[in-house]
Amino acid sequence: MEGFLAFALTVATISAIFGIVGLGVNAQWGYGGMLNIGNVAGFGAGMYTTTLLTVGAPGERDFYAYGASLPLWLAIICGGFVASIVAAAIATPALKAGVSALRLGLVTFAGAEILRTVLAVRLDIANGFPGVHGVGSGFRHWAFDNGGQDFYDLLIFLIASAVFITAFALLEIWRRAPFGRVVRAIREDSDAAAMLGHNVLKFQVQTFAIGGFFTGIAGGIYVIWLGTVTPDNMLPAVSFMVMIAVILGGSGNNWGVLFGIIITLGLLEQGSRFLPTTDDIREIMPYLRRMALAAALILVLRFRPQGVLPEQRSVTVK
Amino acid sequence: MPEFEVAYIVFGLISASVIAVMGIGLTLQAGISRFFNISYGELVTLGAFSTYTFSVTWAFPLFLAIPVTCVVVAVASVGLNWTVFRPMRNSNAWVLLIASLGVSFFLSNLFFAQWGSRVRRLDVPDFLSDSHKIGDVVITGTDMMIVAAVIIISMLLYLMLQRTGVGKAMRATADDPGLAAVTGINPEKVSFYTWLLAGALAGLGGTFFAMTGFLEPQMGTRIILLIGASVVVGGVGNPWGALAGAFVVGMSMELSVMFINPGLKLAVAFAALVIALLIRPQGILGQKGFL
């Protein structure tokens, strides 16, 4: 595949993978009202768990202690659960202390940074800074033997979008279910929800875990696509991009999240390569692109803080 | 495990001093504007690069470049407030927080496009780079200057907040903006002076930060977390709290080196933040229910 088709497939794959992250973050922030500026913690936990569960025993140049050689699908699901535990573990003490949304944002940010630093410094977990390479190589070889690069790319896209659609459907059901309604009630007024007998902390922690699960699943698919994981995959900029996409598209609206992710991480990040450029501009293009994204975010917050596709307020018909 | 040495306490004090300069600026601004300004980190970067441009590129003397930088960053800070944050001042605190995240993203990429990712160093005069041996501890002239500067800044700030009209207005507005406005304090004016002061401190802090290490376009993004941590640990809006918070963060970072891998310094600082938040959510000297 060449030219436009390859471009479209890349955009679609990235949008699907980060769309899953966006859905998870939207559950926490859009519906739960809990700011998770360190959402890359769950994403990274998924990447690293999937890596360590699929790679074989450490080779001569490896420092990591253990590789489990599990099948990919099982490793990805385990990654989701580990991510859900990590996300909940970071947020629970802060939620328990009843800190404000801003402080929760700071705590999650700090949590993600702690995780990234530990993974970078400890060689025995996953090789530290250089990271682990050759993740999912068995699957890649199989796909290349059976249909080449195009088949592989298409397969990854199909897997990612199938998971995205499933996640979307599950979270839509969750949103409409009593669970989701209580979570939104807590967002609006936690005291009132507590007075109605709901265990606020329990619902908040569970929501964090649910969101974390989906970010972890996305991390697992992403690491297999990349074939490698390093602590740099967990830089705060990744969290920022997802947060920006969710808020730009519309917090509390899963369609808005999809829109935001496609526009920001898909089209804007990938699309600028088709602009006519000189060498000078090409060098600074990544920076210009992100400046445009940041400017768009500021304008949306200024003139339409609810996002491009805002949350649909449900109306009860009597 | 290395033996306990006085040096670690001295290093902790120096780290704390660098963080404190910027922490005071950020906390004053957060107290008046009622949000966490993440883009404050980019003002720090601007300060470092401004000093670099004046003192290295244009060969000004360093002690002329520093005050000029403070003015430049103070003006940039006020400009940022006027263009982005003041029009949005009636929004939720989270809208402003995310907007400041956007500004931070915008500026750090602008700095990358302008200066590239090459690592630079400031040229400091000999009397600053010389090492002095005091007891068992070796410190540089720069370190001594930074600690002295923090003491002087704290005293000046105390005098300003207690004795001058602007300072009293700042304290009143941070305490209760509504009540302050009723007594005839102009909130616009208070906000203007606060952003000006915060910007100047960001310029100075960025220069100190560059003198103790190196310059790169993401230095502000790296340090803003530590600044934010010290502000939150100390209690948002209270400059003495920021001093105390910087002390906690700086000391825990440097003292942890005795027990664990130095690469985990940052992780220790954040762990200190999380623990402090759990023990005392409003911070050491903070008011309950603020931000």
Side-chain angles (χ1 to χ4, degrees):
Chain A
M1 268 182 283
E2 279 178 7
F4 183 75
L5 208 58
F7 164 71
L9 193 64
T10 312
V11 169
T13 311
I14 287 185
S15 303
I17 293 174
F18 281 94
I20 305 167
V21 183
L23 290 176
V25 172
N26 193 34
Q28 297 164 340
W29 161 244
Y31 298 123
M34 296 174 290
L35 201 52
N36 185 1
I37 306 186
N39 54 64
V40 81
F43 187 64
M47 286 183 88
Y48 270 96
T49 308
T50 304
T51 301
L52 292 179
L53 290 181
T54 52
V55 290
E60 262 176 37
R61 289 195 204 143
D62 290 320
F63 296 102
Y64 63 85
Y66 183 69
S69 313
L70 289 182
L72 290 184
W73 62 271
L74 189 58
I76 292 176
I77 291 174
C78 292
F81 282 111
V82 171
S84 130
I85 293 167
V86 166
I90 291 174
T92 303
L95 290 171
K96 214 169 185 170
V99 297
S100 63
L102 298 188
R103 276 152 205 247
L104 183 62
L106 203 62
V107 169
T108 50
F109 200 138
E113 280 291 275
I114 292 175
L115 190 62
R116 181 177 69 86
T117 340
V118 170
L119 286 168
V121 171
R122 291 292 297 264
L123 299 180
D124 53 349
I125 301 176
N127 286 355
F129 262 120
V132 182
H133 302 275
V135 185
S137 55
F139 171 67
R140 185 175 292 116
H141 286 146
W142 173 83
F144 270 67
D145 290 345
N146 284 291
Q149 171 91 47
D150 293 354
F151 177 63
Y152 173 72
D153 290 345
L154 202 64
L155 211 55
I156 290 278
F157 164 69
L158 287 176
I159 294 168
S161 45
V163 174
F164 175 81
I165 291 166
T166 314
F168 196 103
L170 286 175
L171 285 169
E172 278 295 310
I173 295 170
W174 173 78
R175 177 175 77 87
R176 296 195 172 107
F179 191 161
R181 291 207 301 268
V182 173
V183 167
R184 272 175 288 150
I186 292 171
R187 177 191 68 189
E188 295 298 326
D189 189 338
S190 62
D191 289 339
M195 216 183 68
L196 290 172
H198 297 300
N199 185 339
V200 171
L201 178 65
K202 197 179 99 186
F203 275 104
Q204 287 184 325
V205 171
Q206 283 173 346
T207 307
F208 238 93
I210 290 170
F213 178 79
F214 289 109
T215 57
I217 294 278
I221 300 172
Y222 190 57
V223 74
I224 285 165
W225 192 39
L226 283 186
T228 158
V229 60
T230 70
D232 279 358
N233 292 124
M234 293 180 65
L235 283 174
V238 182
S239 293
F240 291 173
M241 294 288 278
V242 172
M243 208 66 223
I244 289 175
V246 169
I247 288 172
L248 206 70
S251 322
N253 182 338
N254 288 335
W255 291 105
V257 172
L258 179 61
F259 172 78
I261 294 276
I262 291 177
I263 293 289
T264 56
L265 283 145
L267 290 177
L268 204 67
E269 280 284 290
Q270 303 298 321
S272 51
R273 72 169 88 147
F274 289 105
L275 297 175
T277 51
T278 61
D279 281 349
D280 289 352
I281 295 181
R282 189 167 301 128
E283 211 166 274
I284 58 170
M285 202 61 209
Y287 309 127
L288 293 181
R289 195 159 73 195
R290 292 195 169 163
M291 283 161 69
L293 179 58
L297 173 76
I298 296 165
L299 289 176
V300 166
L301 285 173
R302 169 92 171 77
F303 296 106
R304 203 178 158 82
Q306 68 274 41
V308 178
L309 298 174
E311 180 174 12
Q312 303 288 315
R313 294 282 163 167
S314 45
V315 182
T316 311
V317 182
K318 289 199 173 147
Chain B
M1 186 175 108
E3 287 291 303
F4 171 78
E5 283 174 33
V6 189
Y8 293 118
I9 292 186
V10 177
F11 293 153
L13 197 65
I14 295 163
S15 291
S17 303
V18 175
I19 298 169
V21 178
M22 300 175 265
I24 291 171
L26 181 64
T27 206
L28 286 172
Q29 191 183 80
I32 299 291
S33 309
R34 311 242 146 192
F35 74 99
F36 285 118
N37 180 9
I38 294 179
S39 62
Y40 191 78
E42 270 51 48
L43 293 177
V44 169
T45 314
L46 182 67
F49 275 93
S50 159
T51 305
Y52 179 86
T53 308
F54 283 115
S55 74
V56 178
T57 315
W58 294 345
F60 281 37
L62 183 66
F63 285 95
L64 187 62
I66 293 177
V68 175
T69 287
C70 288
V71 174
V72 167
V73 182
V75 171
S77 166
V78 170
L80 202 59
N81 186 28
W82 280 354
T83 48
V84 182
F85 297 117
R86 202 171 66 165
M88 296 169 71
R89 63 178 174 267
N90 292 327
S91 313
N92 272 328
W94 76 262
V95 174
L96 286 160
L97 174 87
I98 303 288
S100 78
L101 193 68
V103 173
S104 157
F105 216 56
F106 184 90
L107 290 179
S108 68
N109 282 295
L110 181 68
F111 295 156
F112 261 120
Q114 171 65 29
W115 285 301
S117 50
R118 186 163 70 85
V119 167
R120 294 171 165 83
R121 273 171 211 287
L122 281 176
D123 289 335
V124 294
D126 285 344
F127 72 93
L128 286 181
S129 57
D130 283 347
S131 305
H132 304 273
K133 199 163 173 6
I134 301 169
D136 295 335
V137 187
V138 178
I139 57 171
T140 64
T142 307
D143 298 336
M144 289 197 269
M145 184 188 79
I146 291 171
V147 175
V150 171
I151 296 170
I152 295 170
I153 288 169
S154 310
M155 290 194 299
L156 288 178
L157 187 73
Y158 179 81
L159 289 178
M160 194 201 90
L161 289 177
Q162 299 296 329
R163 301 283 166 80
T164 67
V166 180
K168 286 177 186 167
M170 272 185 195
R171 282 193 296 144
T173 309
D175 245 16
D176 189 333
L179 206 57
V182 169
T183 57
I185 292 170
N186 182 353
E188 295 295 326
K189 212 170 145 188
V190 171
S191 158
F192 171 78
Y193 283 116
T194 309
W195 282 77
L196 205 63
L197 180 63
L201 287 170
L204 190 63
T207 308
F208 287 165
F209 185 38
M211 286 167 100
T212 55
F214 53 88
L215 292 96
E216 48 101 13
Q218 271 202 305
M219 57 192 291
T221 320
R222 281 190 290 125
I223 193 91
I224 186 66
L225 285 171
L226 290 178
I227 307 172
S230 64
V231 165
V232 171
V233 168
V236 182
N238 187 324
W240 319 121
L243 270 179
F247 191 77
V248 170
V249 169
M251 278 296 173
S252 55
M253 256 165 64
E254 300 299 336
L255 290 180
S256 73
V257 174
M258 288 192 284
F259 309 106
I260 57 170
N261 190 327
L264 289 173
K265 257 190 208 177
L266 211 62
V268 171
F270 295 141
L273 162 73
V274 175
I275 293 166
L277 266 183
L278 301 183
I279 299 173
R280 204 175 151 80
Q282 75 270 37
I284 300 171
L285 296 172
Q287 325 165 11
K288 262 207 169 113
F290 189 73
L291 277 179

